[in-house]
Amino acid sequence: MNSSSTTRRRLAALAASASVTALVLALGACASGGSGSGGGAPGTGDKPYVALVSKGFQHQFWQAVKQGADDAAAELDVEVTFEGPETETEVEKQLTMLQTALDKSPDAIGYAALDSEASIPMMTDAVSRGIPVIAFDSGVDSDAPVTTVSTDNLAASAEAAKHMAELVGSGKIAIVGHDQTSQTGQQRVEGFTQYIEENAPDIEIVDTQYAAGDQLKSADAAKAIMQAHPDLKGIYGTNEGSAIGVVKAVQESGRSGELTVIGFDSGTAQTDAIRDGLMAGAITQDPIKMGYETVKAAVAAINGEEVEPVIDSGFYWYDETNIDDPEIAAVLYE
């Protein structure tokens, strides 16, 4: 996979073993009914066409990923479309979007999987048709993607845990996660939990709830945890919606300043919460770089060039002490 010849051999091998399952056929049959947000006209011109299917379109994070993809498209002179379901719980709708994108026969496809296993038949189908697959944000349990462009979520969530441990010292904490099906959702809980278990023996994670990255559901989950554990000292929210939901829950429960809230991602609501002292800090990714590198890798794959199997798009811890530093400000998305 580190050379064009290796890539071609792997594509051929996967193509030989590809079996288009009933799921693909079923989704293909209904693909014409798929709709998305942020999409554009499919590739009909002379430029290479890269179709990107994201996890969603509602968070500012995805808008920043799209900005990076658009920047790369302009620089590399390719056509890009970008779409995703309205919420990050709509796995079947995302699969329909993926099938619709494949039906347009793009030169390459980028995919941020809501479910790391459900798309495997379509990934295999894409390879069998000679369409390079670029996974971004969250990988899939398959060798089909020529590369995965993502944050090292295990390391990033461990960094969040390190700051939580430093701030609370000891006692009970909890996690509000965004999902259990994507690798992103799994690894952001796993990395955090593993760090606490190995490095903070006086801290106990008393509950982990999942609320689909929805602010209202995350707020409800955080309130329920606080009610069950009145002596709770901190809560970690694993994405933008989860973190803001936790902040709202703490505010509405009248416990601002009592609990340490740590988040993941950025966005206006999170940066405001940090400036207002409602959130201790958060991990920010570099979504613009993620979108840029996804399209760049897609173009390289189209041209048969070498592509690294994993492209780390990076992460940063930010809080009130460094939120205005130029290096941090450059990767915060509003």
Side-chain angles (χ1 to χ4, degrees):
M1 200 147 49
N2 289 328
S3 69
S4 57
S5 59
T6 301
T7 299
R8 285 194 296 272
R9 286 197 298 273
R10 187 171 58 77
L11 291 172
L14 285 168
S17 63
S19 61
V20 181
T21 66
L23 173 63
V24 173
L25 293 173
L27 289 168
C30 62
S32 60
S35 61
S37 300
T44 55
D46 296 330
K47 297 180 180 179
Y49 169 44
V50 180
L52 302 177
V53 179
S54 78
K55 286 182 176 178
F57 211 73
Q58 79 279 33
H59 291 158
Q60 291 168 328
F61 176 83
W62 296 114
Q63 296 294 324
V65 175
K66 181 179 183 301
Q67 179 186 331
D70 290 343
D71 290 346
E75 179 180 315
L76 301 173
D77 196 27
V78 298
E79 183 179 1
V80 169
T81 54
F82 192 102
E83 59 185 347
E86 283 74 13
T87 71
E88 296 183 19
T89 62
E90 297 177 281
V91 174
E92 291 188 7
K93 184 169 185 177
Q94 190 196 35
L95 292 172
T96 300
M97 287 180 164
L98 177 60
Q99 185 62 56
T100 301
L102 288 171
D103 289 344
K104 296 173 185 174
S105 298
D107 295 292
I109 191 159
Y111 186 60
L114 281 173
D115 188 309
S116 60
E117 296 182 354
S119 64
I120 291 175
M122 279 184 278
M123 298 287 97
T124 306
D125 181 44
V127 173
S128 72
R129 294 162 56 185
I131 301 172
V133 177
I134 312 299
F136 66 99
D137 181 68
S138 194
V140 295
D141 297 333
S142 165
D143 291 333
V146 296
T147 187
T148 299
V149 182
S150 69
T151 302
D152 183 340
N153 285 291
L154 289 172
S157 55
E159 181 72 12
K162 184 186 79 172
H163 286 277
M164 176 70 87
E166 291 173 350
L167 290 167
V168 304
S170 62
K172 299 177 179 178
I173 63 173
I175 301 171
V176 176
H178 59 279
D179 72 61
Q180 295 176 278
T181 57
S182 71
Q183 290 186 359
T184 299
Q186 295 164 2
Q187 291 176 352
R188 289 185 193 172
V189 171
E190 180 184 351
F192 185 93
T193 302
Q194 185 172 358
Y195 181 92
I196 294 295
E197 291 177 347
E198 294 179 353
N199 299 282
D202 295 329
I203 296 176
E204 179 187 7
I205 300 174
V206 294
D207 200 354
T208 300
Q209 296 286 331
Y210 294 89
D214 179 88
Q215 291 185 20
L216 294 178
K217 292 179 181 177
S218 297
D220 289 342
K223 288 176 182 176
I225 295 172
M226 286 189 286
Q227 189 170 22
H229 302 279
D231 53 346
L232 197 72
K233 297 182 70 174
I235 306 179
Y236 161 55
T238 65
N239 78 346
E240 183 179 345
S242 303
I244 294 306
V246 172
V247 168
K248 289 181 180 297
V250 172
Q251 281 184 293
E252 293 171 3
S253 301
R255 299 191 61 185
S256 298
E258 296 179 16
L259 273 76
T260 296
V261 178
I262 285 179
F264 209 109
D265 293 321
S266 62
T268 302
Q270 281 204 78
T271 55
D272 287 348
I274 289 174
R275 294 183 192 281
D276 294 340
L278 300 172
M279 181 181 290
I283 297 293
T284 183
Q285 305 178 80
D286 191 342
I288 295 176
K289 182 179 180 181
M290 185 181 293
Y292 181 91
E293 293 292 342
T294 298
V295 173
K296 182 180 177 181
V299 173
I302 291 169
N303 294 331
E305 298 171 1
E306 180 176 334
V307 180
E308 294 294 330
V310 176
I311 299 174
D312 185 354
S313 51
F315 68 86
Y316 303 84
W317 166 261
Y318 69 104
D319 57 21
E320 63 178 358
T321 68
N322 67 351
I323 193 170
D324 293 318
D325 289 353
E327 181 183 37
I328 297 300
V331 294
L332 299 179
Y333 36 97
E334 299 296 331

